[in-house]
């Protein structure tokens, strides 16, 4: 019964990710990865294995769900959120609470990490410091580095 609910949750999360935005898709991937990692880790190594599995699964799911430029941030957020959620959920509700906590923490961490990656990309110049001043001294003849040394003769 426990694995059928995990399968149902997995299918519903995959189905809704097709219509989701970028940050929401990363969050759903982190939640799904956290749940699956928590279940597999619990079967292999108890509560410690559950925490490790949730962290690895949340990181992997967040990275898969995020868009190209935000994979690292989403993976870090998903891994930390799923592991932390797993620990808190285990303290509150046992192994079922650990899976719920891993899903919530992995989803929130991945979405937040993906969003932080977006805001960083929008506010940075991307290494192009002088892009706006490229042709500031152009005389209109577009002659490259010779533009001040050439004279236009009619």
């Amino acid at each position: 019964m426990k694995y059928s609910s995990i399968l149902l949750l997995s299918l519903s999360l995959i189905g809704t990710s097709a219509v989701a935005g970028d940050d929401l898709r990363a969050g759903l991937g982190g939640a799904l990865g956290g749940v699956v990692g928590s279940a597999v880790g619990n079967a292999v190594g108890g509560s410690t294995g559950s925490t490790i599995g949730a962290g690895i699964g949340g990181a992997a799911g967040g990275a898969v769900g995020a868009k190209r430029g935000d994979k690292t941030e989403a993976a870090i957020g998903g891994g930390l959120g799923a592991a932390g959620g797993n620990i808190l959920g285990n303290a509150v509700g046992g192994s079922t609470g650990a899976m719920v906590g891993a899903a919530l923490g992995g989803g929130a961490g991945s979405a937040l990490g993906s969003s932080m990656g977006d805001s960083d990309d929008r506010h940075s110049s991307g290494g192009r410091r002088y892009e706006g001043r490229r042709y500031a001294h152009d005389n209109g003849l577009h002659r490259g580095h010779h533009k001040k040394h050439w004279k236009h003769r009619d």
Side-chain angles (χ1 to χ4, degrees):
M1 184 68 183
K2 182 164 72 169
Y3 293 109
S4 65
S5 63
I6 293 172
L7 181 64
L8 183 63
L9 176 67
S10 302
L11 291 176
S12 66
L13 289 175
I14 289 172
T16 56
S17 69
V19 295
D22 291 330
D23 296 339
L24 187 59
R25 186 174 302 169
L28 290 174
L32 178 62
V35 167
V36 172
S38 177
V40 170
N42 191 19
V44 172
S47 63
T48 304
S50 176
T51 303
I52 294 170
I56 292 172
V64 168
K67 66 180 184 176
R68 176 169 249 170
D70 303 331
K71 289 187 182 290
T72 303
E73 292 91 350
I76 291 171
L80 291 175
N86 188 326
I87 292 171
L88 291 176
N90 193 14
V92 172
S95 63
T96 305
M99 282 194 260
V100 171
L104 293 176
S110 294
L112 184 63
S114 178
S115 177
M116 296 296 277
D118 281 344
S119 68
D120 184 41
D121 291 342
R122 279 194 297 257
H123 295 354
S124 71
S125 63
R128 297 178 300 264
R129 290 178 63 186
Y130 303 107
E131 184 178 13
R133 296 189 280 164
R134 178 178 284 166
Y135 293 109
H137 301 291
D138 194 0
N139 61 3
L141 299 176
H142 311 295
R143 292 184 172 153
H145 67 281
H146 298 289
K147 54 189 160 204
K148 288 190 178 180
H149 305 291
W150 291 73
K151 300 217 185 248
H152 183 70
R153 296 186 181 137
D154 291 333

